[in-house]
Amino acid sequence: MENKKILVTGGAGYIGSHTLVELSQASYDFVVYDNLVNSSKVAINRVANIIGKDVVFEEGDIRDSKRLVEVFTKYDIDSVIHFAGLKAVGESVEKPLYYYDNNVNGTIKLLEIMKEFNCKKIVFSSSATVYGDPKEMPVTEDMQTGQGITNPYGRSKYMIEEILKDLFISDSSWKIAILRYFNPVGAHESGNIGEDPEGVPNNLMPFISQVAVGKLEKLKVFGGDYPTKDGTGVRDYIHVVDLAEAHVKAVEFLDKNNLDKPLIVNIGTGRGYSVLEMIKAFKKVNQVKVPYDIVNRRAGDVAKIYANPKKAKELLNWEAKRDIEQMCQSSWDWQSKNPRGYSIIDE
Ligand code: NAD
Ligand code: UFG
């Protein structure tokens, strides 16, 4: 047996790859488990390059119990950071069974094998989407969840949260951290890892970057008539490196504390920016053009959501440090250095 390791499911993905860098800096050993359905081995190679050592990678699906048993047998896994999941909101509406199978059933399979190997520490990637369309702002962790979620992706996150809570009720030796991410953007300062969406991006920041780089012609701003400061949607954008750091803090917290319930924390900055503010900041910081049209609202979007991040500060001693300029600048750095993302053939 080697040293104790963290199993990072979905570690080849956008948030996972950035978290590997921070885990390595904090001297944690890890194994990445990913089926590469929405990511590339190139990201793993890039992480290895940034951290200056090999990354242990095991290809596999979280729904594949046999493969999980192999991995848990091969390594001494002490805890799991569970990023693996599908996340495209529109696709989840078209393929609900695929989403529930992958996200919910996949998580159940993972938890079963963890239990079998007496590995009972997990950090789970949840989302602000579990709050639905909250009436009060900023959002605190004790506010209602599960109501008004507009798509199967969001509901899969809510269902997994409930499953984790029930699991704890059945066996309080589990240590569970549920991190509710707000809107992750940006990239590592090296410009060598970042978000690499397949096809036309769904999310704002990659769309802006691809317009700026000339890959897409114009941004569509979804809705100019929301009851917000300038009529466009407001979100709590958080730098992905800040988000990655929160995972290190969550793992440390689970290591040090015995819990009487799952830890649930918002991971956001506490500041809301509108779509127009994001465009303006991106243009100014990067000195680029971002042509846009204001069009109809997108179905399922809320007007405004931002976090109260106080609980994360109090319990995890974590807070976001990077500002909107760093978010815009690092997104652009990654996009302009890698206009085709990871789709290169010489690595
Ligand atoms: P991502 O798609 O870049 O990463 C997810 C990774 O999981 C990918 O590498 C994918 O190949 C892998 N994966 C998917 N299904 C798998 C399976 N069945 N078995 C093994 N691996 C599988 O997404 P991300 O943005 O890095 O998101 C990571 C997690 O955070 C996801 O669970 C996502 O739902 C959640 N989250 C993301 C956001 C966001 O805006 N990016 C917001 C809130 C929550
Ligand atoms: N937007 C545009 N044009 C675009 C893309 C987005 O105007 O081309 C706007 C949206 O209307 C919204 C804001 O930019 O006001 C942010 O949109 P994103 O798609 O980047 O992010 P969302 O807040 O809609 O989505 C995020 C996560 C999802 C999650 C959802 C629900 O990416 O995983 O929050 O809270 F389900």
Side-chain angles (χ1 to χ4, degrees):
M1 279 285 179
E2 301 170 40
N3 289 338
K4 285 189 170 180
K5 287 185 167 27
I6 300 174
L7 185 75
V8 184
T9 74
Y14 171 46
I15 304 168
S17 57
H18 287 83
T19 301
L20 299 181
V21 174
E22 299 309 312
L23 285 171
S24 173
Q25 261 166 31
S27 301
Y28 282 101
D29 272 346
F30 50 80
V31 178
V32 175
Y33 187 81
D34 199 305
N35 66 357
L36 302 175
V37 66
N38 193 37
S39 52
S40 158
K41 260 305 275 301
V42 176
I44 296 293
N45 298 339
R46 298 271 182 99
V47 169
N49 202 268
I50 293 169
I51 68 177
K53 60 178 187 198
D54 286 348
V55 171
V56 182
F57 178 76
E58 296 285 349
E59 190 166 340
D61 194 301
I62 50 169
R63 294 165 297 178
D64 185 347
S65 303
K66 251 180 75 190
R67 182 77 183 108
L68 279 172
V69 166
E70 273 172 25
V71 170
F72 273 82
T73 307
K74 185 167 170 191
Y75 306 97
D76 189 4
I77 309 280
D78 175 60
S79 49
V80 174
I81 305 182
H82 177 33
F83 293 107
L86 298 169
K87 62 165 183 176
V89 171
E91 188 186 44
S92 80
V93 175
E94 283 155 32
K95 301 177 184 168
L97 299 181
Y98 176 47
Y99 267 67
Y100 289 126
D101 180 44
N102 196 83
N103 294 3
V104 182
N105 184 34
T107 301
I108 293 172
K109 293 275 181 254
L110 172 69
L111 293 168
E112 281 170 352
I113 304 304
M114 288 177 68
K115 190 174 161 204
E116 196 178 316
F117 283 80
N118 202 30
C119 166
K120 294 185 176 175
K121 248 185 274 172
I122 184 166
V123 178
F124 171 63
S125 302
S126 190
S127 164
T129 194
V130 300
Y131 294 112
D133 190 358
K135 295 290 158 284
E136 275 172 62
M137 233 33 87
V139 177
T140 53
E141 291 84 350
D142 54 3
M143 280 165 63
Q144 189 188 47
T145 56
Q147 294 299 309
I149 304 172
T150 53
N151 57 79
Y153 163 73
R155 272 189 286 278
S156 78
K157 291 291 170 191
Y158 171 69
M159 288 175 189
I160 296 166
E161 287 200 2
E162 296 302 297
I163 290 168
L164 289 169
K165 289 180 199 166
D166 284 340
L167 182 61
F168 184 87
I169 291 169
S170 75
D171 174 359
S172 62
S173 65
W174 278 88
K175 292 183 172 200
I176 298 170
I178 294 171
L179 307 188
R180 292 182 180 152
Y181 312 159
F182 281 67
N183 288 57
V185 296
H188 186 257
E189 61 181 5
S190 62
N192 291 334
I193 53 173
E195 188 170 12
D196 181 22
E198 211 177 296
V200 178
N202 298 308
N203 297 113
L204 180 65
M205 198 59 142
F207 207 110
I208 292 182
S209 305
Q210 293 198 12
V211 170
V213 84
K215 211 168 143 183
L216 296 168
E217 200 188 328
K218 234 180 199 183
L219 172 73
K220 289 193 184 90
V221 176
F222 298 134
D225 58 351
Y226 283 112
T228 57
K229 45 190 145 186
D230 58 20
T232 64
V234 168
R235 295 292 183 276
D236 186 337
Y237 296 93
I238 171 158
H239 197 298
V240 66
V241 177
D242 279 326
L243 177 56
E245 286 173 0
H247 291 80
V248 176
K249 297 282 191 177
V251 168
E252 281 170 11
F253 184 87
L254 294 187
D255 280 340
K256 284 195 199 127
N257 294 281
N258 286 319
L259 307 181
D260 58 3
K261 57 182 180 222
L263 171 78
I264 303 182
V265 278
N266 287 337
I267 305 294
T269 66
R271 270 212 66 163
Y273 286 100
S274 74
V275 177
L276 294 182
E277 284 174 330
M278 292 305 284
I279 299 172
K280 197 169 157 197
F282 194 95
K283 290 200 311 200
K284 184 162 172 227
V285 172
N286 300 315
Q287 294 295 304
V288 290
K289 291 200 168 67
V290 182
Y292 67 87
D293 285 328
I294 297 183
V295 302
N296 287 340
R297 294 180 180 189
R298 179 171 67 177
D301 275 355
V302 299
K304 173 164 85 172
I305 183 164
Y306 55 93
N308 180 336
K310 244 170 89 184
K311 191 173 173 191
K313 171 74 177 159
E314 279 166 15
L315 293 182
L316 300 183
N317 190 27
W318 172 90
E319 66 188 326
K321 297 189 206 99
R322 294 162 180 86
D323 61 19
I324 187 180
E325 279 78 26
Q326 286 163 294
M327 299 181 208
C328 291
Q329 185 263 321
S330 63
S331 290
W332 177 239
D333 196 27
W334 151 253
Q335 177 68 57
S336 45
K337 267 175 115 170
N338 303 273
R340 295 175 55 232
Y342 292 120
S343 56
I344 39 171
I345 37 174
D346 58 347
E347 270 186 69

Coordinates of all heavy atoms in Angstrom, one line a residue, residues 155-190:
R155 N -31.9 19.4 -10.5 CA -32.6 18.4 -9.6 C -31.6 17.3 -9.2 O -31.7 16.8 -8.1 CB -33.9 17.9 -10.2 CG -35.0 18.9 -9.9 CD -36.4 18.3 -10.3 NE -36.6 18.3 -11.7 CZ -37.0 19.4 -12.4 NH1 -37.3 20.5 -11.8 NH2 -37.1 19.3 -13.7
S156 N -30.8 16.9 -10.2 CA -29.8 15.8 -9.8 C -28.9 16.3 -8.6 O -28.6 15.5 -7.7 CB -29.0 15.4 -11.0 OG -27.9 16.2 -11.3
K157 N -28.5 17.5 -8.6 CA -27.7 18.0 -7.5 C -28.5 18.0 -6.2 O -28.0 17.6 -5.2 CB -27.2 19.5 -7.8 CG -26.2 19.5 -9.0 CD -24.9 18.9 -8.6 CE -24.0 18.8 -9.8 NZ -22.8 18.0 -9.5
Y158 N -29.7 18.5 -6.3 CA -30.6 18.5 -5.1 C -30.8 17.1 -4.6 O -30.6 16.8 -3.4 CB -31.9 19.1 -5.4 CG -32.9 19.0 -4.3 CD1 -32.8 19.7 -3.1 CD2 -34.0 18.1 -4.5 CE1 -33.7 19.5 -2.1 CE2 -34.9 18.0 -3.4 CZ -34.8 18.7 -2.3 OH -35.7 18.5 -1.2
M159 N -31.1 16.1 -5.5 CA -31.3 14.7 -5.1 C -30.0 14.2 -4.4 O -30.1 13.5 -3.4 CB -31.6 13.9 -6.3 CG -33.0 14.1 -6.8 SD -33.2 13.1 -8.3 CE -34.8 13.8 -8.9
I160 N -28.9 14.5 -4.9 CA -27.6 13.9 -4.4 C -27.4 14.5 -3.0 O -27.0 13.8 -2.0 CB -26.4 14.2 -5.3 CG1 -26.6 13.4 -6.6 CG2 -25.1 13.7 -4.6 CD1 -25.7 13.8 -7.7
E161 N -27.7 15.8 -2.8 CA -27.6 16.4 -1.5 C -28.5 15.7 -0.5 O -28.1 15.4 0.6 CB -28.0 17.9 -1.5 CG -27.0 18.8 -2.2 CD -27.3 20.3 -1.7 OE1 -28.2 20.5 -0.9 OE2 -26.5 21.2 -2.2
E162 N -29.7 15.3 -0.9 CA -30.7 14.7 0.0 C -30.1 13.2 0.3 O -30.2 12.8 1.5 CB -32.1 14.6 -0.6 CG -32.7 16.0 -0.8 CD -32.8 16.8 0.5 OE1 -33.5 16.3 1.4 OE2 -32.2 17.9 0.6
I163 N -29.6 12.6 -0.7 CA -29.1 11.2 -0.5 C -27.9 11.3 0.6 O -27.8 10.5 1.5 CB -28.6 10.6 -1.8 CG1 -29.8 10.3 -2.7 CG2 -27.7 9.4 -1.6 CD1 -29.5 10.0 -4.1
L164 N -27.1 12.3 0.4 CA -25.9 12.4 1.3 C -26.4 12.7 2.8 O -25.9 12.1 3.7 CB -25.0 13.5 0.9 CG -24.2 13.2 -0.4 CD1 -23.5 14.4 -1.0 CD2 -23.1 12.1 -0.2
K165 N -27.5 13.5 2.9 CA -28.0 13.8 4.2 C -28.5 12.5 4.8 O -28.3 12.2 6.0 CB -29.1 14.8 4.1 CG -28.6 16.2 3.8 CD -29.8 17.2 3.8 CE -29.4 18.5 3.0 NZ -30.6 19.3 2.7
D166 N -29.3 11.7 4.0 CA -29.9 10.5 4.6 C -28.8 9.5 4.9 O -28.9 8.7 5.9 CB -30.8 9.8 3.5 CG -32.1 10.6 3.4 OD1 -32.5 11.3 4.4 OD2 -32.8 10.5 2.4
L167 N -27.7 9.5 4.1 CA -26.6 8.6 4.4 C -26.0 8.9 5.8 O -25.7 8.0 6.6 CB -25.5 8.7 3.3 CG -24.3 7.8 3.4 CD1 -24.7 6.3 3.3 CD2 -23.3 8.1 2.3
F168 N -25.9 10.2 6.0 CA -25.3 10.6 7.3 C -26.2 10.2 8.5 O -25.8 9.7 9.5 CB -25.0 12.1 7.4 CG -24.4 12.5 8.6 CD1 -23.0 12.5 8.8 CD2 -25.2 12.9 9.7 CE1 -22.4 12.8 10.0 CE2 -24.6 13.2 10.9 CZ -23.2 13.2 11.1
I169 N -27.5 10.3 8.3 CA -28.5 9.9 9.3 C -28.4 8.4 9.6 O -28.4 8.0 10.8 CB -29.9 10.3 8.9 CG1 -30.1 11.8 8.8 CG2 -31.0 9.7 9.8 CD1 -31.4 12.3 8.2
S170 N -28.1 7.6 8.6 CA -28.0 6.2 8.8 C -26.7 5.8 9.4 O -26.6 4.8 10.1 CB -28.1 5.5 7.4 OG -26.9 5.6 6.7
D171 N -25.7 6.6 9.3 CA -24.3 6.3 9.8 C -23.5 7.6 10.0 O -23.0 8.1 9.0 CB -23.6 5.3 8.8 CG -22.2 5.0 9.1 OD1 -21.7 5.5 10.2 OD2 -21.6 4.3 8.4
S172 N -23.4 8.0 11.2 CA -22.8 9.3 11.5 C -21.3 9.3 11.5 O -20.7 10.3 11.8 CB -23.3 9.9 12.8 OG -23.0 9.0 13.9
S173 N -20.7 8.1 11.1 CA -19.3 8.1 11.0 C -18.9 8.7 9.6 O -17.7 8.9 9.3 CB -18.7 6.7 11.2 OG -19.1 5.9 10.2
W174 N -19.8 8.9 8.7 CA -19.5 9.6 7.5 C -19.1 11.1 7.7 O -19.7 11.7 8.7 CB -20.7 9.6 6.5 CG -20.9 8.3 5.8 CD1 -21.5 7.2 6.2 CD2 -20.3 8.0 4.5 NE1 -21.5 6.3 5.2 CE2 -20.7 6.7 4.1 CE3 -19.6 8.7 3.5 CZ2 -20.4 6.1 3.0 CZ3 -19.2 8.1 2.3 CH2 -19.6 6.8 2.1
K175 N -18.2 11.6 7.0 CA -17.9 13.0 7.0 C -18.1 13.6 5.6 O -17.5 13.2 4.6 CB -16.4 13.2 7.4 CG -16.1 12.8 8.8 CD -14.6 13.1 9.1 CE -14.3 12.9 10.6 NZ -13.1 13.7 10.9
I176 N -19.1 14.5 5.5 CA -19.6 14.9 4.2 C -19.6 16.4 4.1 O -20.1 17.1 5.0 CB -21.1 14.4 4.1 CG1 -21.1 12.9 4.1 CG2 -21.7 15.0 2.8 CD1 -22.5 12.3 4.1
A177 N -19.0 16.9 3.1 CA -19.0 18.4 2.8 C -19.7 18.6 1.5 O -19.3 18.0 0.4 CB -17.6 19.0 2.8
I178 N -20.7 19.4 1.5 CA -21.4 19.8 0.3 C -21.1 21.2 -0.1 O -21.4 22.1 0.7 CB -23.0 19.6 0.5 CG1 -23.3 18.1 0.7 CG2 -23.8 20.2 -0.7 CD1 -24.7 17.8 1.2
L179 N -20.4 21.4 -1.2 CA -20.0 22.8 -1.6 C -21.0 23.2 -2.6 O -21.1 22.6 -3.7 CB -18.6 22.8 -2.1 CG -17.5 22.2 -1.1 CD1 -16.1 22.6 -1.7 CD2 -17.6 22.7 0.3
R180 N -21.7 24.3 -2.4 CA -22.6 24.9 -3.4 C -21.9 26.0 -4.1 O -21.8 27.1 -3.6 CB -23.9 25.4 -2.7 CG -24.7 24.3 -2.1 CD -26.0 24.8 -1.5 NE -26.8 23.7 -0.9 CZ -27.6 23.9 0.1 NH1 -27.8 25.1 0.7 NH2 -28.3 22.8 0.6
Y181 N -21.4 25.6 -5.3 CA -20.7 26.6 -6.1 C -21.6 27.6 -6.7 O -22.7 27.3 -7.2 CB -20.0 26.0 -7.3 CG -19.1 24.7 -7.1 CD1 -18.9 23.9 -8.1 CD2 -18.6 24.4 -5.8 CE1 -18.1 22.8 -8.0 CE2 -17.9 23.3 -5.6 CZ -17.6 22.4 -6.7 OH -16.8 21.3 -6.6
F182 N -21.2 28.8 -6.8 CA -21.9 29.8 -7.6 C -21.4 29.8 -9.0 O -21.3 28.7 -9.6 CB -21.9 31.2 -6.9 CG -23.0 31.1 -5.8 CD1 -22.8 30.3 -4.7 CD2 -24.2 31.8 -5.9 CE1 -23.8 30.2 -3.7 CE2 -25.2 31.7 -5.0 CZ -25.0 30.9 -3.9
N183 N -20.9 30.8 -9.7 CA -20.5 30.7 -11.1 C -19.0 30.7 -11.3 O -18.4 31.8 -11.4 CB -21.2 31.8 -11.9 CG -22.7 31.6 -12.0 OD1 -23.4 31.5 -11.0 ND2 -23.2 31.6 -13.3
P184 N -18.4 29.5 -11.4 CA -17.0 29.5 -11.6 C -16.5 30.0 -13.0 O -17.1 29.6 -14.0 CB -16.6 28.0 -11.5 CG -17.9 27.2 -11.2 CD -19.0 28.2 -11.4
V185 N -15.5 30.8 -13.0 CA -15.0 31.4 -14.2 C -13.5 31.5 -14.1 O -12.9 31.3 -13.0 CB -15.6 32.7 -14.6 CG1 -17.1 32.7 -14.9 CG2 -15.3 33.8 -13.5
G186 N -12.8 31.8 -15.2 CA -11.4 32.1 -15.1 C -10.5 30.8 -15.2 O -11.1 29.8 -15.5
A187 N -9.2 31.0 -15.1 CA -8.3 29.9 -15.3 C -7.1 30.1 -14.5 O -6.8 31.1 -13.9 CB -8.0 29.8 -16.8
H188 N -6.3 29.0 -14.5 CA -5.0 29.0 -13.8 C -4.1 30.1 -14.4 O -4.1 30.3 -15.6 CB -4.3 27.7 -13.8 CG -3.1 27.6 -13.0 ND1 -1.8 27.6 -13.5 CD2 -2.9 27.5 -11.7 CE1 -0.9 27.5 -12.6 NE2 -1.6 27.4 -11.4
E189 N -3.2 30.7 -13.5 CA -2.4 31.8 -14.0 C -1.4 31.4 -15.1 O -0.9 32.3 -15.8 CB -1.6 32.4 -12.8 CG -0.7 31.4 -12.1 CD 0.1 32.0 -10.9 OE1 -0.2 33.1 -10.5 OE2 0.9 31.2 -10.4
S190 N -1.1 30.1 -15.2 CA -0.2 29.7 -16.2 C -0.8 29.9 -17.6 O -0.1 29.9 -18.6 CB 0.2 28.2 -16.0 OG -1.0 27.4 -16.1

